[in-house]
Amino acid sequence: ETGVTQTPRHLVMGMTNKKSLKCEQHLGHNAMYWYKQSAKKPLELMFVYNFKEQTENNSVPSRFSPECPNSSHLFLHLHTLQPEDSALYLCASSQEASGSLNEQFFGPGTRLTVL
Amino acid sequence: AQSVTQLDSQVPVFEEAPVELRCNYSSSVSVYLFWYVQYPNQGLQLLLKYLSGSTLVKGINGFEAEFNKSQTSFHLRKPSVHISDTAEYFCAVSENNAGNMLTFGGGTRLMVKP
């Protein structure tokens, strides 16, 4: 399906490791998002970038560090994570970060396991 | 602040039976409403959306939803489900005077049985 790709699809890391998740969108969108999806919890918005500027940081711990070098690419840098950070991390994009242009297109996600 | 409630965490149903997945929202302003579907090991895919106009919205895979402003609801329906409809369904709302925040409900797992 997609418009929005994420790599890797699966990642296992120790608590002392540093790793990065990558998202790329081929839809010409200007807004990109990171979500966390944990078992039995609602989808949690983490970060929003609109025209490469971060417009939302939803009280995310500093061990998660986003980077948006251009409108097509979004990274999530991970360091010293905790086991409770294990989840599916979803990337999404939309035409812009507002109102009716809010239809978001999602990538397949990265399944992260922290040991 | 907006919020979304999906009252049913799981809905079991037999194949070819009708189904309704419930969604209620809370907001002090006008909203845009969305239903997404998530198949196993995949990301979310848009089923349908309400932005304005007709309150009955038709989407992909035979699904439809009706916006009811007085009841602040946006229930998803399908007259006859297939095994392949087994998935997680998410309702989401976005206020039309805010920057883009989509708020998602907790999801409803539709389990279609043969």
Side-chain angles (χ1 to χ4, degrees):
Chain A
E1 127 208 325
T2 141
V4 181
T5 58
Q6 290 186 244
T7 54
R9 292 293 308 274
H10 301 272
L11 178 62
V12 179
M13 59 186 290
M15 289 190 286
T16 59
N17 292 157
K18 289 185 180 181
K19 297 286 184 182
S20 295
L21 309 185
K22 179 182 176 182
C23 175
E24 183 173 1
Q25 58 96 1
H26 310 275
L27 300 169
H29 289 164
N30 296 301
M32 296 186 77
Y33 313 78
W34 280 117
Y35 287 88
K36 177 183 179 182
Q37 187 178 30
S38 304
K40 300 183 180 180
K41 283 188 177 181
L43 205 59
E44 301 172 63
L45 178 66
M46 300 175 71
F47 301 103
V48 180
Y49 279 82
N50 195 32
F51 292 93
K52 300 190 296 178
E53 298 295 321
Q54 187 180 122
T55 58
E56 182 79 10
N57 176 336
N58 200 18
S59 303
V60 181
S62 59
R63 57 185 183 270
F64 295 91
S65 175
E67 179 189 1
C68 188
N70 54 61
S71 292
S72 298
H73 293 85
L74 184 66
F75 296 89
L76 188 62
H77 304 300
L78 316 171
H79 63 98
T80 60
L81 293 191
Q82 305 298 312
E84 59 265 28
D85 296 322
S86 298
L88 182 68
Y89 288 85
L90 291 165
C91 174
S93 71
S94 65
Q95 187 174 343
E96 288 187 22
S98 66
S100 66
L101 301 176
N102 208 344
E103 177 183 342
Q104 294 182 18
F105 294 77
F106 284 79
T110 295
R111 173 70 62 187
L112 174 67
T113 302
V114 182
L115 302 176
Chain B
Q2 61 199 28
S3 66
V4 182
T5 302
Q6 292 181 246
L7 295 168
D8 306 302
S9 60
Q10 294 186 57
V11 173
V13 64
F14 286 105
E15 194 173 19
E16 299 184 5
V19 71
E20 178 180 84
L21 305 184
R22 295 181 292 170
C23 172
N24 288 88
Y25 69 92
S26 173
S27 175
S28 57
V29 300
S30 298
V31 295
Y32 303 115
L33 296 155
F34 305 81
W35 273 101
Y36 284 86
V37 60
Q38 185 178 31
Y39 298 104
N41 300 314
Q42 294 186 29
L44 278 66
Q45 178 184 0
L46 183 70
L47 268 180
L48 49 78
K49 61 184 176 183
Y50 171 80
L51 302 181
S52 65
S54 173
T55 57
L56 182 62
V57 180
K58 294 189 183 298
I60 62 172
N61 301 340
F63 283 93
E64 63 180 33
E66 185 157 19
F67 170 52
N68 187 320
K69 187 175 182 180
S70 63
Q71 297 186 6
T72 60
S73 68
F74 191 54
H75 301 330
L76 182 70
R77 302 186 185 98
K78 186 170 182 178
S80 175
V81 294
H82 303 290
I83 296 288
S84 60
D85 292 323
T86 295
E88 188 93 17
Y89 292 80
F90 294 92
C91 181
V93 63
S94 172
E95 294 181 336
N96 69 0
N97 67 346
N100 190 23
M101 299 306 115
L102 262 190
T103 299
F104 285 86
T108 297
R109 182 167 298 277
L110 176 63
M111 299 176 293
V112 181
K113 300 179 286 186

PDB file of all heavy atoms in Angstrom, chain A residues 2 5 8-9 15 17 22 34 37 41 45 50 53 57-58 65 69 73 82 87 92 94 107-109 115:
ATOM      1  N   THR A   2       2.106   1.417  -0.306  1.00  0.00           N
ATOM      2  CA  THR A   2       2.194   2.635   0.373  1.00  0.00           C
ATOM      3  C   THR A   2       3.214   3.604  -0.073  1.00  0.00           C
ATOM      4  O   THR A   2       4.309   3.324  -0.379  1.00  0.00           O
ATOM      5  CB  THR A   2       2.270   2.291   1.781  1.00  0.00           C
ATOM      6  OG1 THR A   2       3.041   2.973   2.516  1.00  0.00           O
ATOM      7  CG2 THR A   2       2.139   0.933   1.988  1.00  0.00           C
ATOM      8  N   THR A   5       6.471   4.553   3.929  1.00  0.00           N
ATOM      9  CA  THR A   5       7.262   3.367   4.262  1.00  0.00           C
ATOM     10  C   THR A   5       8.004   3.585   5.567  1.00  0.00           C
ATOM     11  O   THR A   5       8.382   4.716   5.910  1.00  0.00           O
ATOM     12  CB  THR A   5       8.271   3.046   3.159  1.00  0.00           C
ATOM     13  OG1 THR A   5       9.129   4.190   2.960  1.00  0.00           O
ATOM     14  CG2 THR A   5       7.560   2.725   1.852  1.00  0.00           C
ATOM     15  N   PRO A   8      13.300  -0.059  10.322  1.00  0.00           N
ATOM     16  CA  PRO A   8      12.980  -1.448   9.993  1.00  0.00           C
ATOM     17  C   PRO A   8      11.546  -1.806  10.367  1.00  0.00           C
ATOM     18  O   PRO A   8      10.878  -1.019  11.030  1.00  0.00           O
ATOM     19  CB  PRO A   8      13.975  -2.225  10.873  1.00  0.00           C
ATOM     20  CG  PRO A   8      14.127  -1.345  12.090  1.00  0.00           C
ATOM     21  CD  PRO A   8      14.062   0.076  11.574  1.00  0.00           C
ATOM     22  N   ARG A   9      11.065  -2.945   9.967  1.00  0.00           N
ATOM     23  CA  ARG A   9       9.727  -3.375  10.363  1.00  0.00           C
ATOM     24  C   ARG A   9       9.747  -3.971  11.771  1.00  0.00           C
ATOM     25  O   ARG A   9       8.752  -3.900  12.484  1.00  0.00           O
ATOM     26  CB  ARG A   9       9.192  -4.401   9.366  1.00  0.00           C
ATOM     27  CG  ARG A   9       8.911  -3.834   7.978  1.00  0.00           C
ATOM     28  CD  ARG A   9       7.757  -2.836   7.990  1.00  0.00           C
ATOM     29  NE  ARG A   9       6.566  -3.370   8.622  1.00  0.00           N
ATOM     30  CZ  ARG A   9       5.653  -4.098   7.996  1.00  0.00           C
ATOM     31  NH1 ARG A   9       5.786  -4.368   6.718  1.00  0.00           N
ATOM     32  NH2 ARG A   9       4.594  -4.536   8.647  1.00  0.00           N
ATOM     33  N   MET A  15      18.562  -2.035  26.503  1.00  0.00           N
ATOM     34  CA  MET A  15      18.288  -0.728  27.097  1.00  0.00           C
ATOM     35  C   MET A  15      19.434   0.250  26.907  1.00  0.00           C
ATOM     36  O   MET A  15      19.241   1.460  26.992  1.00  0.00           O
ATOM     37  CB  MET A  15      17.958  -0.896  28.578  1.00  0.00           C
ATOM     38  CG  MET A  15      16.599  -1.546  28.807  1.00  0.00           C
ATOM     39  SD  MET A  15      16.072  -1.492  30.532  1.00  0.00           S
ATOM     40  CE  MET A  15      17.128  -2.738  31.233  1.00  0.00           C
ATOM     41  N   ASN A  17      21.311   0.393  24.094  1.00  0.00           N
ATOM     42  CA  ASN A  17      21.568   0.613  22.669  1.00  0.00           C
ATOM     43  C   ASN A  17      21.054   1.966  22.210  1.00  0.00           C
ATOM     44  O   ASN A  17      20.212   2.599  22.852  1.00  0.00           O
ATOM     45  CB  ASN A  17      20.871  -0.462  21.829  1.00  0.00           C
ATOM     46  CG  ASN A  17      21.463  -1.844  22.008  1.00  0.00           C
ATOM     47  OD1 ASN A  17      20.802  -2.829  21.769  1.00  0.00           O
ATOM     48  ND2 ASN A  17      22.713  -1.902  22.420  1.00  0.00           N
ATOM     49  N   LYS A  22      13.131   4.937  10.794  1.00  0.00           N
ATOM     50  CA  LYS A  22      13.045   5.823   9.631  1.00  0.00           C
ATOM     51  C   LYS A  22      11.667   5.739   9.002  1.00  0.00           C
ATOM     52  O   LYS A  22      11.066   4.654   8.922  1.00  0.00           O
ATOM     53  CB  LYS A  22      14.097   5.422   8.592  1.00  0.00           C
ATOM     54  CG  LYS A  22      14.064   6.266   7.324  1.00  0.00           C
ATOM     55  CD  LYS A  22      15.092   5.785   6.313  1.00  0.00           C
ATOM     56  CE  LYS A  22      15.003   6.569   5.008  1.00  0.00           C
ATOM     57  NZ  LYS A  22      15.972   6.065   3.997  1.00  0.00           N
ATOM     58  N   TRP A  34       4.646  10.927  14.409  1.00  0.00           N
ATOM     59  CA  TRP A  34       4.994   9.674  15.070  1.00  0.00           C
ATOM     60  C   TRP A  34       3.916   9.348  16.096  1.00  0.00           C
ATOM     61  O   TRP A  34       3.525  10.216  16.891  1.00  0.00           O
ATOM     62  CB  TRP A  34       6.336   9.756  15.799  1.00  0.00           C
ATOM     63  CG  TRP A  34       7.540   9.597  14.935  1.00  0.00           C
ATOM     64  CD1 TRP A  34       8.518  10.516  14.708  1.00  0.00           C
ATOM     65  CD2 TRP A  34       7.946   8.427  14.199  1.00  0.00           C
ATOM     66  NE1 TRP A  34       9.480  10.012  13.870  1.00  0.00           N
ATOM     67  CE2 TRP A  34       9.154   8.726  13.543  1.00  0.00           C
ATOM     68  CE3 TRP A  34       7.394   7.144  14.025  1.00  0.00           C
ATOM     69  CZ2 TRP A  34       9.831   7.810  12.729  1.00  0.00           C
ATOM     70  CZ3 TRP A  34       8.055   6.235  13.208  1.00  0.00           C
ATOM     71  CH2 TRP A  34       9.259   6.565  12.583  1.00  0.00           C
ATOM     72  N   GLN A  37       1.776   2.826  19.554  1.00  0.00           N
ATOM     73  CA  GLN A  37       0.621   1.960  19.758  1.00  0.00           C
ATOM     74  C   GLN A  37       1.034   0.803  20.651  1.00  0.00           C
ATOM     75  O   GLN A  37       1.761  -0.090  20.234  1.00  0.00           O
ATOM     76  CB  GLN A  37       0.069   1.440  18.422  1.00  0.00           C
ATOM     77  CG  GLN A  37      -1.233   0.674  18.581  1.00  0.00           C
ATOM     78  CD  GLN A  37      -1.804   0.205  17.260  1.00  0.00           C
ATOM     79  OE1 GLN A  37      -1.079  -0.059  16.309  1.00  0.00           O
ATOM     80  NE2 GLN A  37      -3.125   0.134  17.160  1.00  0.00           N
ATOM     81  N   LYS A  41      -3.934  -0.013  24.776  1.00  0.00           N
ATOM     82  CA  LYS A  41      -3.927   1.426  25.021  1.00  0.00           C
ATOM     83  C   LYS A  41      -4.338   2.144  23.751  1.00  0.00           C
ATOM     84  O   LYS A  41      -4.086   1.665  22.650  1.00  0.00           O
ATOM     85  CB  LYS A  41      -2.534   1.905  25.423  1.00  0.00           C
ATOM     86  CG  LYS A  41      -2.128   1.596  26.843  1.00  0.00           C
ATOM     87  CD  LYS A  41      -0.814   2.300  27.149  1.00  0.00           C
ATOM     88  CE  LYS A  41      -0.385   2.104  28.572  1.00  0.00           C
ATOM     89  NZ  LYS A  41       0.880   2.819  28.856  1.00  0.00           N
ATOM     90  N   LEU A  45      -0.349  10.014  20.129  1.00  0.00           N
ATOM     91  CA  LEU A  45       0.439  10.911  19.296  1.00  0.00           C
ATOM     92  C   LEU A  45       1.695  11.316  20.054  1.00  0.00           C
ATOM     93  O   LEU A  45       1.625  11.715  21.217  1.00  0.00           O
ATOM     94  CB  LEU A  45      -0.381  12.144  18.944  1.00  0.00           C
ATOM     95  CG  LEU A  45       0.324  13.215  18.114  1.00  0.00           C
ATOM     96  CD1 LEU A  45       0.643  12.695  16.724  1.00  0.00           C
ATOM     97  CD2 LEU A  45      -0.552  14.462  18.032  1.00  0.00           C
ATOM     98  N   ASN A  50       5.269  19.990  10.822  1.00  0.00           N
ATOM     99  CA  ASN A  50       4.546  20.645   9.747  1.00  0.00           C
ATOM    100  C   ASN A  50       5.537  21.535   9.013  1.00  0.00           C
ATOM    101  O   ASN A  50       6.127  22.429   9.620  1.00  0.00           O
ATOM    102  CB  ASN A  50       3.383  21.455  10.301  1.00  0.00           C
ATOM    103  CG  ASN A  50       2.395  21.859   9.241  1.00  0.00           C
ATOM    104  OD1 ASN A  50       2.187  21.142   8.274  1.00  0.00           O
ATOM    105  ND2 ASN A  50       1.758  23.001   9.424  1.00  0.00           N
ATOM    106  N   GLU A  53       8.908  21.829  10.657  1.00  0.00           N
ATOM    107  CA  GLU A  53       8.995  22.409  11.988  1.00  0.00           C
ATOM    108  C   GLU A  53       8.176  21.561  12.966  1.00  0.00           C
ATOM    109  O   GLU A  53       7.040  21.187  12.672  1.00  0.00           O
ATOM    110  CB  GLU A  53       8.461  23.838  11.995  1.00  0.00           C
ATOM    111  CG  GLU A  53       9.234  24.801  11.109  1.00  0.00           C
ATOM    112  CD  GLU A  53      10.651  24.984  11.607  1.00  0.00           C
ATOM    113  OE1 GLU A  53      10.856  25.051  12.827  1.00  0.00           O
ATOM    114  OE2 GLU A  53      11.567  25.051  10.753  1.00  0.00           O
ATOM    115  N   ASN A  57       4.852  18.232  20.654  1.00  0.00           N
ATOM    116  CA  ASN A  57       5.611  17.237  21.401  1.00  0.00           C
ATOM    117  C   ASN A  57       4.718  16.870  22.575  1.00  0.00           C
ATOM    118  O   ASN A  57       4.547  17.655  23.502  1.00  0.00           O
ATOM    119  CB  ASN A  57       6.936  17.822  21.880  1.00  0.00           C
ATOM    120  CG  ASN A  57       7.721  16.833  22.740  1.00  0.00           C
ATOM    121  OD1 ASN A  57       7.164  15.922  23.345  1.00  0.00           O
ATOM    122  ND2 ASN A  57       9.017  17.018  22.805  1.00  0.00           N
ATOM    123  N   ASN A  58       4.154  15.697  22.523  1.00  0.00           N
ATOM    124  CA  ASN A  58       3.114  15.329  23.471  1.00  0.00           C
ATOM    125  C   ASN A  58       3.700  14.756  24.756  1.00  0.00           C
ATOM    126  O   ASN A  58       3.415  13.622  25.129  1.00  0.00           O
ATOM    127  CB  ASN A  58       2.173  14.325  22.799  1.00  0.00           C
ATOM    128  CG  ASN A  58       0.832  14.263  23.500  1.00  0.00           C
ATOM    129  OD1 ASN A  58       0.460  15.148  24.244  1.00  0.00           O
ATOM    130  ND2 ASN A  58       0.103  13.184  23.256  1.00  0.00           N
ATOM    131  N   SER A  65      13.986  11.022  20.381  1.00  0.00           N
ATOM    132  CA  SER A  65      14.403  12.269  19.766  1.00  0.00           C
ATOM    133  C   SER A  65      14.036  12.254  18.288  1.00  0.00           C
ATOM    134  O   SER A  65      14.606  11.484  17.516  1.00  0.00           O
ATOM    135  CB  SER A  65      15.911  12.449  19.935  1.00  0.00           C
ATOM    136  OG  SER A  65      16.360  13.588  19.241  1.00  0.00           O
ATOM    137  N   PRO A  69      14.518  16.108   8.539  1.00  0.00           N
ATOM    138  CA  PRO A  69      15.420  16.864   7.676  1.00  0.00           C
ATOM    139  C   PRO A  69      14.731  17.514   6.487  1.00  0.00           C
ATOM    140  O   PRO A  69      15.208  18.527   5.970  1.00  0.00           O
ATOM    141  CB  PRO A  69      16.436  15.813   7.219  1.00  0.00           C
ATOM    142  CG  PRO A  69      15.702  14.515   7.332  1.00  0.00           C
ATOM    143  CD  PRO A  69      14.769  14.657   8.486  1.00  0.00           C
ATOM    144  N   HIS A  73      10.987  12.962   4.916  1.00  0.00           N
ATOM    145  CA  HIS A  73      11.659  12.019   5.801  1.00  0.00           C
ATOM    146  C   HIS A  73      11.479  12.414   7.258  1.00  0.00           C
ATOM    147  O   HIS A  73      11.534  13.588   7.619  1.00  0.00           O
ATOM    148  CB  HIS A  73      13.159  11.964   5.496  1.00  0.00           C
ATOM    149  CG  HIS A  73      13.477  11.383   4.154  1.00  0.00           C
ATOM    150  ND1 HIS A  73      13.485  12.139   2.999  1.00  0.00           N
ATOM    151  CD2 HIS A  73      13.774  10.102   3.785  1.00  0.00           C
ATOM    152  CE1 HIS A  73      13.784  11.354   1.974  1.00  0.00           C
ATOM    153  NE2 HIS A  73      13.960  10.137   2.411  1.00  0.00           N
ATOM    154  N   GLN A  82      13.410   1.910  27.845  1.00  0.00           N
ATOM    155  CA  GLN A  82      12.941   1.037  28.901  1.00  0.00           C
ATOM    156  C   GLN A  82      12.056  -0.066  28.306  1.00  0.00           C
ATOM    157  O   GLN A  82      11.475   0.127  27.232  1.00  0.00           O
ATOM    158  CB  GLN A  82      12.135   1.829  29.925  1.00  0.00           C
ATOM    159  CG  GLN A  82      12.882   3.023  30.508  1.00  0.00           C
ATOM    160  CD  GLN A  82      14.124   2.592  31.269  1.00  0.00           C
ATOM    161  OE1 GLN A  82      14.061   1.691  32.086  1.00  0.00           O
ATOM    162  NE2 GLN A  82      15.250   3.238  30.988  1.00  0.00           N
ATOM    163  N   ALA A  87       6.610  -1.385  21.765  1.00  0.00           N
ATOM    164  CA  ALA A  87       5.320  -1.041  21.163  1.00  0.00           C
ATOM    165  C   ALA A  87       5.465  -1.058  19.647  1.00  0.00           C
ATOM    166  O   ALA A  87       6.555  -1.283  19.113  1.00  0.00           O
ATOM    167  CB  ALA A  87       4.867   0.348  21.614  1.00  0.00           C
ATOM    168  N   ALA A  92       2.951   8.603  10.154  1.00  0.00           N
ATOM    169  CA  ALA A  92       1.863   9.015   9.275  1.00  0.00           C
ATOM    170  C   ALA A  92       2.220  10.340   8.631  1.00  0.00           C
ATOM    171  O   ALA A  92       3.099  11.067   9.105  1.00  0.00           O
ATOM    172  CB  ALA A  92       0.557   9.143  10.053  1.00  0.00           C
ATOM    173  N   SER A  94       0.244  13.785   6.304  1.00  0.00           N
ATOM    174  CA  SER A  94      -0.968  14.394   5.772  1.00  0.00           C
ATOM    175  C   SER A  94      -0.566  15.612   4.959  1.00  0.00           C
ATOM    176  O   SER A  94       0.560  16.104   5.067  1.00  0.00           O
ATOM    177  CB  SER A  94      -1.944  14.784   6.886  1.00  0.00           C
ATOM    178  OG  SER A  94      -1.405  15.801   7.701  1.00  0.00           O
ATOM    179  N   GLY A 107       2.086   4.485   7.708  1.00  0.00           N
ATOM    180  CA  GLY A 107       2.998   3.431   7.335  1.00  0.00           C
ATOM    181  C   GLY A 107       2.648   2.147   8.058  1.00  0.00           C
ATOM    182  O   GLY A 107       1.751   2.124   8.899  1.00  0.00           O
ATOM    183  N   PRO A 108       3.367   1.047   7.755  1.00  0.00           N
ATOM    184  CA  PRO A 108       3.060  -0.250   8.356  1.00  0.00           C
ATOM    185  C   PRO A 108       3.551  -0.385   9.790  1.00  0.00           C
ATOM    186  O   PRO A 108       3.166  -1.328  10.488  1.00  0.00           O
ATOM    187  CB  PRO A 108       3.787  -1.238   7.444  1.00  0.00           C
ATOM    188  CG  PRO A 108       4.934  -0.445   6.900  1.00  0.00           C
ATOM    189  CD  PRO A 108       4.432   0.952   6.742  1.00  0.00           C
ATOM    190  N   GLY A 109       4.392   0.534  10.230  1.00  0.00           N
ATOM    191  CA  GLY A 109       4.868   0.494  11.607  1.00  0.00           C
ATOM    192  C   GLY A 109       6.172  -0.255  11.791  1.00  0.00           C
ATOM    193  O   GLY A 109       6.569  -1.077  10.965  1.00  0.00           O
ATOM    194  N   LEU A 115      14.653  -5.054  25.423  1.00  0.00           N
ATOM    195  CA  LEU A 115      14.951  -6.127  26.385  1.00  0.00           C
ATOM    196  C   LEU A 115      15.605  -5.584  27.644  1.00  0.00           C
ATOM    197  O   LEU A 115      16.291  -4.564  27.612  1.00  0.00           O
ATOM    198  CB  LEU A 115      15.860  -7.168  25.725  1.00  0.00           C
ATOM    199  CG  LEU A 115      15.300  -7.815  24.447  1.00  0.00           C
ATOM    200  CD1 LEU A 115      16.333  -8.756  23.855  1.00  0.00           C
ATOM    201  CD2 LEU A 115      14.007  -8.566  24.757  1.00  0.00           C
TER     202      LEU A 115
END
